[in-house]
Amino acid sequence: MTLTITKANGIEIAWESFGNPGDETFLLISGLGTQMIRWTTGFCEGLAARGYRVIRFDNRDAGCSTHFTSSAVPDFAALASMLMAGGQPVVPYRLDDMAADAIGLLDALDIERVHVAGRSMGGMIAQIMASENAARTLSLTSIMSSTGNPALPQAAPEVMAMMMRPAPDPAVDPDGFLAVRLAFARKIAGTACPFDEASLAAILMEEARRSHDPAGVARQIAAMAVAGDRRARLATITAPALVIHGTDDPLILPACGEETAASIPGARYMPVEGMGHDLPDPFAEVVIDAMCDLASSSSRRPGA
């Protein structure tokens, strides 16, 4: 496993590969403000051990991929006001651009079709990829994500406040940084297994070492804010689809996963009892099993 930087869709994308390059590929898309290492090495190796090539990558404005440092930090108050008035805010980029990054990476790697899986914001990106690129999508797994329907129930104000709370610079105050980030992680964790503070702290500090860019997170938030309602797009998806959602998710509530599955023709909805807005190691095996079952069924389809 070697970190590689590849030019794709006009930017540089950092990625890593597990497994045999000749096997069918799973493309894993990360969530808001997180990096590809949230798809842990153990998870990727577990998926690769089932006979798949696994590619994880950093989204734009995250990790070792291109950061849009020349773009201004979005003014969220102005953005919200314009959206409420029915306007179309100008943002540095949209989720469609991030989906195009994923397709561009596949083009650069000469990979024709993939099983795509995304978590949280990554699930939204994966949904767009599957709806706009049917010929490139063998299957879709959307994890702890949503349709963008504004009528769906929203996270409680205190959860949103914790998500938006600025953290100290980890290079200056690593303990303060961890205190803020771990408090939020604990808030959105599920109840089915103990909160693994040590493991998550290690991931958070590794992400900070790779790249600490609060402005990049703000630009990703803006892309999500203007993404709109995807239900009409989801209705066009033809690939076999699986929607996984934790029953304890307080950030993107389970109703959002239920509607995602209901919006995709033939999609299977898989609630995971006691899982929150995270994917801790104890849930890895059941998620990998479900993803592989979906991939296997897609391979048996006529013309697949």
Side-chain angles (χ1 to χ4, degrees), residues 250-274:
L251 185 61
I252 298 180
L253 302 183
C256 301
E258 292 169 6
E259 183 177 82
T260 301
S263 300
I264 301 172
R268 175 194 169 202
Y269 181 62
M270 178 179 149
V272 181
E273 191 68 34

Side-chain angles (χ1 to χ4, degrees), residues 9-10 60 66 68 77 105 109 113 131 135 164 173 177 183 185-186 211 217 224 228 241 268 272 275 291 303:
N9 196 34
R60 57 172 65 196
T66 293
F68 284 64
L105 179 60
L109 301 182
R113 306 174 75 194
S131 65
M164 299 300 289
D173 182 7
F177 168 79
R186 189 182 294 276
S211 168
V217 178
M224 291 176 60
R268 175 194 169 202
V272 181
M275 189 172 85
M291 291 169 62

Side-chain angles (χ1 to χ4, degrees), residues 50 184 203 218:
R50 305 294 186 91
F184 176 62
I203 290 174

Side-chain angles (χ1 to χ4, degrees), residues 289-300:
D289 283 346
M291 291 169 62
C292 290
D293 285 347
L294 179 72
S296 178
S297 70
S298 74
S299 298
R300 293 193 297 267

Side-chain angles (χ1 to χ4, degrees), residues 1-294:
M1 177 190 64
T2 302
L3 178 70
T4 304
I5 308 292
T6 296
K7 191 71 172 283
N9 196 34
I11 66 171
E12 291 186 335
I13 297 178
W15 61 280
E16 292 175 339
S17 179
F18 301 78
N20 183 349
D23 290 335
E24 283 189 355
T25 300
F26 265 102
L27 183 71
L28 307 182
I29 307 180
S30 303
L32 171 67
T34 65
Q35 302 176 23
M36 63 174 158
I37 59 174
R38 292 295 180 105
W39 294 103
T40 65
T41 296
F43 185 95
C44 295
E45 289 177 341
L47 193 52
R50 305 294 186 91
Y52 295 95
R53 184 186 189 186
V54 180
I55 293 175
R56 63 181 183 180
F57 70 99
D58 286 328
N59 288 314
R60 57 172 65 196
D61 263 333
C64 300
S65 292
T66 293
H67 288 246
F68 284 64
T69 53
S70 61
S71 298
V73 177
D75 180 337
F76 289 116
L79 188 151
S81 295
M82 184 172 289
L83 285 173
M84 289 180 65
Q88 292 293 321
V90 176
V91 294
Y93 51 81
R94 295 174 174 266
L95 294 185
D96 286 74
D97 298 306
M98 301 179 81
D101 292 343
I103 292 296
L105 179 60
L106 298 183
D107 289 341
L109 301 182
D110 198 26
I111 300 173
E112 183 61 31
R113 306 174 75 194
V114 295
H115 304 281
V116 59
R119 50 199 288 179
S120 195
M121 180 188 73
M124 302 172 192
I125 296 168
Q127 293 167 16
I128 293 169
M129 181 177 162
S131 65
E132 301 299 323
N133 299 274
R136 309 295 295 273
T137 308
L138 287 168
S139 71
L140 164 67
T141 303
S142 178
I143 305 172
M144 58 183 109
S145 195
S146 184
T147 65
N149 176 4
L152 285 167
Q154 303 297 307
E158 63 267 23
V159 175
M160 295 302 297
M162 290 185 74
M163 184 181 80
M164 299 300 289
R165 180 185 173 189
D169 186 335
V172 176
D173 182 7
D175 290 340
F177 168 79
L178 279 178
V180 171
R181 297 297 303 277
L182 286 171
F184 176 62
R186 189 182 294 276
K187 183 73 172 178
I188 63 174
T191 59
C193 56
F195 182 68
D196 190 348
E197 181 172 312
S199 294
L200 186 53
I203 290 174
L204 287 167
M205 292 310 297
E206 176 62 12
E207 285 184 328
R209 184 196 66 78
R210 296 175 87 242
S211 168
H212 177 64
D213 185 8
V217 178
R219 289 186 288 268
Q220 290 186 351
I221 292 173
M224 291 176 60
V226 302
D229 189 335
R230 285 180 300 283
R231 285 178 293 172
R233 302 174 82 172
L234 296 180
T236 70
I237 292 175
T238 56
L242 169 68
V243 177
I244 300 174
H245 215 104
T247 61
D248 287 358
D249 192 336
L251 185 61
I252 298 180
L253 302 183
C256 301
E258 292 169 6
E259 183 177 82
T260 301
S263 300
I264 301 172
R268 175 194 169 202
Y269 181 62
M270 178 179 149
V272 181
E273 191 68 34
M275 189 172 85
H277 197 77
D278 55 2
L279 186 50
D281 288 344
F283 290 115
E285 198 70 18
V286 68
V287 171
I288 289 172
D289 283 346
M291 291 169 62
C292 290
D293 285 347
L294 179 72

